[in-house]
Amino acid sequence: MGMFDSTGLQSSLFFESPGEIYARVFRELKPRTAIPELRVEFCKFANADNFIRLENGRLHVRMSDLLEGAPAPVIEALAQILLGKLYRKEVPRLYAHRYRLYLNRRDVRRQAHLVRQIRGRKFLSGPAGAHYHLEEIFERLNRQFFGGLMGMPQLGWSRGTSRSMLGHFDPSHNAIIINRIFDRPNVPALALEYVMFHEMLHLRFPVDHAGSRRRVHTKEFREAEKEFPQLKEAKELLKKL
Ligand SMILES: [Zn+2]
């Protein structure tokens, strides 16, 4: 982590905890009121929902755990929004904008999508599809490219067939989710194998947090991906899905 967060703002708030940020924003909005007892926590919600409640003089804030790694200025923006709402103060547009920008970040959207998929229901679909079995595909690729050494994560099919995501590896649940669009007889196995291989590489190469940007597809990731023999054909197939 550096001096600048991903929204490009210089962060002087970097060393404050979320609780300290809420206390500071509270002082800003209600300078003549003593700061109430504050409880700020991250919760596993199915959506990026956040709650604030004042009860018996205690202020209770529950933020989505999607925000757990968010830069301090984003937490501050949300504190302005939630406390502003609670005390009926007009929230400067800057904060609403900053918070929206963060939710629109590609990696955050992806994570939100996955969280909705997994938490929106009680369990992950099993690896068996109507046409393809994900364990078979995984094991075949495991033998071919990883010497059979890769531990099998949870494997499941997405609920819908939205085209926003072909596959996804979720490190927090150690799960690979493949778009159900591939579970069709007219979809060549090669297309599915490529997507599975790509997600297996995410398991193999963790996200690089060095520097100010999260790097998902590192150079070594890209190099390893080139070992897939029919990479070009597979990518062509994906375009025709
Ligand atoms: Zn990827």
Side-chain angles (χ1 to χ4, degrees):
M1 298 272 210
M3 289 279 286
F4 293 86
D5 70 75
S6 55
T7 56
L9 297 160
Q10 185 161 6
S11 170
S12 55
L13 314 171
F14 196 77
F15 295 104
E16 283 176 307
S17 69
E20 287 164 343
I21 292 174
Y22 274 83
R24 180 169 51 76
V25 171
F26 184 95
R27 261 194 310 273
E28 237 173 73
L29 295 179
K30 312 261 303 169
R32 269 168 294 197
T33 308
I35 297 174
E37 195 186 316
L38 253 168
R39 196 165 129 210
V40 177
E41 57 189 355
F42 293 100
C43 301
K44 289 183 194 296
F45 300 130
N47 292 298
D49 289 332
N50 306 286
F51 299 97
I52 191 163
R53 213 174 48 211
L54 185 63
E55 224 174 52
N56 306 323
R58 287 178 71 199
L59 205 49
H60 191 179
V61 179
R62 303 174 79 201
M63 290 183 285
S64 161
D65 63 348
L66 275 173
L67 296 163
E68 213 160 352
V74 173
I75 300 293
E76 187 197 10
L78 183 61
Q80 292 275 1
I81 293 167
L82 292 178
L83 286 167
K85 259 191 206 156
L86 183 67
Y87 293 107
R88 296 169 202 278
K89 306 252 183 200
E90 204 179 314
V91 179
R93 283 171 65 183
L94 150 80
Y95 296 116
H97 180 68
R98 188 190 294 170
Y99 181 62
R100 250 200 324 273
L101 265 184
Y102 178 75
L103 288 188
N104 274 326
R105 249 168 61 169
R106 199 155 170 232
D107 57 322
V108 176
R109 280 207 324 260
R110 227 172 121 93
Q111 188 63 22
H113 178 79
L114 183 85
V115 157
R116 269 198 303 279
Q117 276 201 319
I118 289 187
R119 292 184 190 155
R121 59 185 157 176
K122 289 272 173 352
F123 54 88
L124 196 68
S125 90
H131 191 71
Y132 288 112
H133 200 294
L134 294 176
E135 274 179 19
E136 283 169 22
I137 307 271
F138 179 92
E139 272 315 331
R140 199 185 314 155
L141 294 167
N142 196 5
R143 278 196 302 275
Q144 191 177 349
F145 297 101
F146 305 94
L149 293 173
M150 187 176 279
M152 195 183 291
Q154 292 197 72
L155 299 169
W157 298 95
S158 73
R159 189 154 35 171
T161 53
S162 119
R163 277 144 206 269
S164 62
M165 184 193 77
L166 299 175
H168 188 90
F169 169 61
D170 170 29
S172 56
H173 294 87
N174 190 38
I176 289 177
I177 292 101
I178 302 289
N179 195 314
R180 203 175 277 282
I181 206 167
F182 290 99
D183 190 27
R184 292 174 182 171
N186 61 332
V187 173
L190 177 66
L192 171 56
E193 280 167 3
Y194 164 64
V195 172
M196 178 67 88
F197 178 65
H198 181 98
E199 300 310 328
M200 288 169 81
L201 288 179
H202 279 305
L203 226 153
R204 170 79 182 70
F205 300 106
V207 174
D208 180 7
H209 286 279
S212 58
R213 287 198 51 164
R214 236 168 70 97
R215 222 170 285 283
V216 178
H217 301 121
T218 57
K219 205 173 153 212
E220 49 177 357
F221 182 106
R222 287 294 178 209
E223 285 304 313
E225 197 181 44
K226 286 182 194 150
E227 284 170 31
F228 193 78
Q230 291 159 285
L231 189 61
K232 247 181 138 175
E233 288 146 86
K235 285 187 169 176
E236 282 304 312
L237 286 172
L238 295 187
K239 285 183 202 155
K240 290 178 207 144
L241 278 181

